Amino acid sequence: MKKIILVNASPREKGNCAMAMDIIQENLHDAQVEVFNIREHSLNGCKGCDACKAKETVSCVQKDDMAELLVRLDTCDALVVATPIYFGMVTGQAKLFLDRTYPFFNPTKPNMTIATKFGKKVAIVLTAGSMPTDVNARHGEAYNCFGIAGFTDSKVLSFNSEKSGTGANIFSIEEDAQQLRELAAWLSE
């Protein structure tokens, strides 16, 4: 059974990212799914202290909810990170999550990582009111750094409310909801 972690980096409880995660979760088959809503957890910023570099296993000296999640990220099969785009950028919560994967990076190790599992899947789901295609490409490239944590097979999906004209539910368009169902099928493979 696949272990899949869904990380919602939106500060909004019932926003488009939550709707996207619901569609994905409903369509995951034969999977153990963990939903991690960042807004519900205590996460500190990375201190850049490098204490994690002295360890042989992924760990962080900070005693917050991210420290516990790191171990599960190392052993899971897939990860989905959903974030809205605010002012042309991912949310602060998404950046915080990304920064806190730093314990996987160790330049003294083969492939510069202490990840124990490779070939894992990662999907980035971006939602916005409107989003030029160059923004999509830039954010997709930024998340390539999840490779350091063993997530080497990746997809980026982006959705915007301009297309639906609603703003409130960008997944009211069947084509967009179908993309999320196909993403769930890919994660379940």
Side-chain angles (χ1 to χ4, degrees):
M1 179 176 291
K2 300 242 183 219
K3 293 180 184 176
I4 301 172
I5 299 175
L6 307 178
V7 175
N8 184 344
S10 174
R12 294 180 58 213
E13 183 178 352
K14 296 181 181 179
N16 288 316
C17 288
M19 286 184 261
M21 292 299 206
D22 287 346
I23 293 169
I24 293 168
Q25 188 171 6
E26 289 167 7
N27 289 279
L28 289 172
H29 304 292
D30 298 319
Q32 176 185 343
V33 180
E34 175 182 354
V35 178
F36 190 88
N37 292 303
I38 293 176
R39 73 181 169 284
E40 298 171 358
H41 292 276
S42 171
L43 270 72
N44 301 318
C46 178
K47 293 181 177 187
C49 66
D50 281 345
C52 56
K53 304 304 168 242
K55 311 269 182 172
E56 291 297 318
T57 59
V58 65
S59 64
C60 180
V61 296
Q62 297 191 66
K63 303 299 180 212
D64 65 359
D65 296 334
M66 186 66 186
E68 298 170 8
L69 183 61
L70 287 169
V71 175
R72 296 191 302 276
L73 287 171
D74 193 31
T75 60
C76 74
D77 298 295
L79 168 67
V80 178
V81 179
T83 178
I85 300 297
Y86 293 157
F87 297 104
M89 304 291 283
V90 297
T91 61
Q93 293 89 335
K95 180 66 168 89
L96 175 66
F97 176 77
L98 178 63
D99 287 349
R100 288 296 300 280
T101 63
Y102 182 63
F104 284 100
F105 175 67
N106 190 323
T108 67
K109 301 293 181 186
N111 299 319
M112 296 192 295
T113 183
I114 62 168
T116 60
K117 189 174 184 178
F118 295 90
K120 299 183 289 187
K121 296 178 179 182
V122 61
I124 310 305
V125 177
L126 306 169
T127 65
S130 64
M131 192 181 323
T133 54
D134 64 323
V135 172
N136 301 350
R138 182 178 52 199
H139 292 300
E141 290 169 11
Y143 279 96
N144 284 339
C145 61
F146 278 123
I148 206 71
F151 297 98
T152 54
D153 195 0
S154 64
K155 289 187 184 256
V156 178
L157 295 179
S158 60
F159 305 94
N160 67 64
S161 61
E162 268 184 357
K163 194 160 104 179
S164 69
T166 65
N169 180 357
I170 61 177
F171 302 109
S172 61
I173 295 178
E174 177 55 28
E175 172 188 322
D176 290 349
Q178 181 59 29
Q179 286 185 59
L180 292 172
R181 289 190 289 273
E182 290 170 4
L183 178 68
W186 174 74
L187 292 165
S188 297
E189 290 174 348

